[in-house]
Amino acid sequence: MAVGEVMRMEVPTGGDLTVSSPDLHVLAVDDSIVDRKVIERLLRISSCKVTTVESGTRALQYLGLDGNTGASDLKDLKVNLIVTDYSMPGLTGYDLLKKIKESSTFREIPVVIMSSENILTRIEQCLKEGAEDFLLKPVKLADVKRIKQLIMRNEAEDHKTLSHSNKRKLGEDVDASPSSSSSSSSHDDSSVKDFPSSKRMKSESDIFSPFI
Amino acid sequence: MDTLVAQLQRQFRDYTISLYHQLFWYVKGFLDDQFTELKKLQDECSPDFVAEVVSLFFEDCEKLIGNMARALDQTGNVDFSLVGSSVHQLKGSSSSVGAKRVKGLCVTFKECCDSQNFEGCVRCLQQVDIEYKSLKAKLQDLFNLEQQIVQAGGRIPQVDI
């Protein structure tokens, strides 16, 4: 299983591999039951698979970042995007963001922060920490559609860049042909992978330095 | 002569508009455009979505108001930050469903918590309680109108605010 593999093809029950529109699996984190219901619907109606959890701690458990085997270790449940509320009791959305970005396994998963408060320093802090975007609550359908487009576009670019960079840097043992979009899955070595869009928030020089 | 459906549809339209709009400058609308956003998420696959969300909201109101009342009841030892955090949660969920008046009250309520104004908090709590129950009754009337229209064989009109 690929480390940090972000884009999966969904295999329908017929067994044929559908290349046309892979579904994003989104993990939504919010302590408010009302907001969980709304974000779940917003995402479902935008053709995403959704798992909702009520806290940052639960999110880490789901991902398996608490040391145990998480539910998302199962191939079918691989998470492509995390959307989290900022103000939550216990682990805040910011804390969760940090933990995810500190993890070599999960740092490539884009994280979007939601908040009812439009505080510039808060927004900057989250973006600096690697958040993909910041949504002001109440979240609307247009926000979710925009995020989805952003994530899908970034993943498409990453796959293009990946096959190019593999061609340039490695030259050997890499199936970099355009038809094989699963070329990333054959490599566990994350140091040759190109960075996902969240890293665009960081400086140019970071993009070309290898993972530590 | 108006059909029953047409009458009901007109009633529905008028009632919906009245829920959103200010009739006088000091009378705020009950709903804002977030409620409209929720309606966009309702379809044949999820025909009761709005009713389900508002139901969760009203349960949330009950729970949070209970928490606030208990905290304010600790005479001489009121934990205003505890009240404040419940108010913050209520503000969030009212914002998410478009409950405009409840949300507005929460802003005032939060200020009272921050300045540890006990009387202010008690007044706000009473008002929030009245307000959410009032909205609950009005939305119930709206949902009933919808049902009546459907039962009379009509379509629920799209109301542009």
Side-chain angles (χ1 to χ4, degrees):
Chain A
M1 190 169 68
V3 166
E5 182 189 26
V6 180
M7 177 97 132
R8 282 177 309 108
M9 295 302 171
E10 169 150 70
V11 184
T13 44
D16 299 316
L17 192 65
T18 313
V19 182
S20 48
S21 58
D23 279 350
L24 288 187
H25 177 206
V26 185
L27 179 64
V29 192
D30 203 313
D31 61 317
S32 158
I33 192 172
V34 172
D35 288 355
R36 274 202 305 280
K37 176 117 182 142
V38 174
I39 194 74
E40 179 188 50
R41 183 73 189 137
L42 284 168
L43 289 165
R44 285 240 165 87
I45 219 176
S46 307
S47 310
C48 296
K49 295 207 292 237
V50 194
T51 301
T52 58
V53 292
E54 62 189 7
S55 69
T57 313
R58 283 256 180 271
L60 293 179
Q61 279 172 5
Y62 185 82
L63 295 169
L65 265 176
D66 60 344
N68 302 314
T69 305
S72 82
D73 279 353
L74 302 173
K75 205 162 171 104
D76 281 349
L77 300 175
K78 206 73 180 155
V79 170
N80 305 121
L81 167 65
I82 295 167
V83 177
T84 178
D85 190 24
Y86 183 92
S87 318
M88 295 187 292
L91 220 65
T92 66
Y94 178 71
D95 297 330
L96 178 62
L97 168 68
K98 280 215 307 220
K99 287 224 186 280
I100 288 164
K101 294 304 170 187
E102 281 163 12
S103 150
S104 53
T105 327
F106 295 103
R107 59 158 59 123
E108 292 182 21
I109 301 182
V111 181
V112 171
I113 309 279
M114 304 180 285
S115 175
S116 55
E117 291 163 299
N118 193 4
I119 299 171
L120 190 59
T121 47
R122 175 180 291 185
I123 298 171
E124 284 174 349
Q125 178 196 48
C126 290
L127 294 179
K128 214 188 275 190
E129 197 58 43
E132 196 66 33
D133 209 325
F134 191 98
L135 295 179
L136 210 51
K137 283 183 166 184
V139 181
K140 303 179 194 310
L141 194 55
D143 297 323
V144 172
K145 285 199 187 299
R146 185 173 60 81
I147 294 293
K148 190 188 176 191
Q149 273 175 2
L150 182 70
I151 303 296
M152 305 281 276
R153 194 169 50 228
N154 291 344
E155 291 190 3
E157 280 175 22
D158 289 342
H159 275 268
K160 235 182 3 189
T161 326
L162 173 62
S163 61
H164 282 315
S165 71
N166 278 349
K167 265 192 198 148
R168 269 203 317 271
K169 291 175 186 167
L170 299 181
E172 80 277 354
D173 282 346
V174 177
D175 183 7
S177 59
S179 56
S180 132
S181 49
S182 56
S183 55
S184 55
S185 60
S186 53
H187 291 277
D188 227 11
D189 186 359
S190 52
S191 63
V192 299
K193 261 176 86 74
D194 225 317
F195 285 51
S197 58
S198 57
K199 293 294 184 280
R200 284 191 197 129
M201 298 298 173
K202 309 214 165 157
S203 67
E204 271 282 313
S205 56
D206 282 349
I207 293 172
F208 297 100
S209 58
F211 273 110
I212 292 154
Chain B
M1 194 181 72
D2 252 343
T3 63
L4 172 64
V5 170
Q7 274 175 35
L8 288 170
Q9 284 174 334
R10 199 174 44 248
Q11 230 183 312
F12 177 84
R13 234 184 221 110
D14 292 343
Y15 198 59
T16 300
I17 292 170
S18 78
L19 288 176
Y20 280 85
H21 279 163
Q22 260 171 254
L23 299 172
F24 307 98
W25 66 269
Y26 55 86
V27 175
K28 257 206 217 162
F30 288 85
L31 298 173
D32 62 32
D33 60 47
Q34 181 62 16
F35 190 77
T36 315
E37 290 293 317
L38 291 188
K39 294 215 104 175
K40 286 183 193 171
L41 306 179
Q42 185 161 286
D43 59 19
E44 315 80 47
C45 305
S46 237
D48 300 313
F49 175 70
V50 178
E52 287 166 7
V53 180
V54 300
S55 175
L56 283 174
F57 168 64
F58 294 130
E59 282 171 21
D60 212 30
C61 286
E62 221 180 291
K63 183 190 90 174
L64 292 169
I65 287 171
N67 293 347
M68 295 170 205
R70 258 188 309 277
L72 287 168
D73 223 11
Q74 311 300 312
T75 345
N77 195 22
V78 174
D79 185 350
F80 286 98
S81 67
L82 197 61
V83 185
S85 90
S86 287
V87 174
H88 178 80
Q89 287 181 61
L90 185 59
K91 181 167 174 249
S93 53
S94 59
S95 164
S96 294
V97 304
K100 189 175 181 176
R101 287 205 199 179
V102 177
K103 180 182 174 182
L105 281 173
C106 286
V107 174
T108 314
F109 201 162
K110 189 70 173 39
E111 286 165 12
C112 292
C113 292
D114 292 344
S115 53
Q116 311 216 341
N117 174 357
F118 181 76
E119 279 89 25
C121 281
V122 171
R123 263 198 309 274
C124 284
L125 181 65
Q126 287 169 348
Q127 285 179 303
V128 154
D129 191 57
I130 290 168
E131 205 53 63
Y132 99 83
K133 286 172 176 163
S134 166
L135 180 62
K136 186 174 178 182
K138 287 192 183 296
L139 286 180
Q140 194 55 59
D141 288 344
L142 193 70
F143 295 144
N144 287 344
L145 263 173
E146 281 184 347
Q147 254 187 354
Q148 284 178 56
I149 293 171
V150 170
Q151 276 167 10
R155 223 181 27 87
I156 296 163
Q158 173 105 333
V159 185
D160 293 319
I161 302 298

